[in-house]
Amino acid sequence: MKAAMWKADPGGGAIFSDRTNEGQIVLFGPSPNLALLRSMLTQRFRGQGLTDISEIERYVLIDTPFSETMHLKKATLGPMEKNEPKLIEVHRPMGKTNRAGSYPPGTKIKFI
């Protein structure tokens, strides 16, 4: 559902506002606030050691306004892995690609 809504209005045209109370996160804005997603991921998973990518995807799907398919891997985790200082440490399964932005099933991530 979130992916369809983000595709319908990724930042242009009419803007949907789901703000009902002060201090609540707005689901849709002109463009996704990936810094907010990065912060939410870091707060949730830092200090927990290695976390399976499926648990991170589930968190994004259920507990954030972001899409796990559109916003998580290449848009958020990729830069967190590539940029200096690195914000995550990635352990990919043996025999899988080892490039930033690729997080196949079985990948474990540590938030630094």
Side-chain angles (χ1 to χ4, degrees):
M1 177 71 175
K2 286 196 265 184
M5 295 170 89
W6 276 104
K7 285 181 183 177
D9 188 10
I15 297 175
F16 171 80
S17 174
D18 65 342
R19 186 180 299 255
T20 57
N21 293 321
E22 285 297 313
Q24 281 190 321
I25 297 173
V26 176
L27 180 57
F28 298 102
S31 62
N33 181 352
L34 297 178
L36 175 60
L37 177 56
R38 185 172 49 249
S39 174
M40 292 173 80
L41 290 169
T42 302
Q43 287 178 11
R44 170 66 176 81
F45 295 106
R46 182 186 285 157
Q48 294 190 7
L50 295 174
T51 303
D52 193 87
I53 188 66
S54 65
E55 184 177 341
I56 297 166
E57 290 170 331
R58 187 173 24 258
Y59 168 74
V60 172
L61 174 65
I62 295 171
D63 295 322
T64 78
F66 298 95
S67 166
E68 79 286 3
T69 57
M70 296 174 68
H71 303 130
L72 178 61
K73 294 180 179 179
K74 288 185 181 179
T76 304
L77 293 177
M80 291 177 78
E81 180 181 6
K82 286 189 265 186
N83 294 344
E84 293 295 332
K86 293 188 185 310
L87 302 174
I88 60 174
E89 182 180 298
V90 179
H91 300 267
R92 292 174 180 83
M94 296 281 289
K96 299 291 182 176
T97 183
N98 197 26
R99 72 177 191 278
S102 173
Y103 306 95
T107 298
K108 308 278 187 200
I109 298 176
K110 179 179 179 180
F111 288 78
I112 302 169

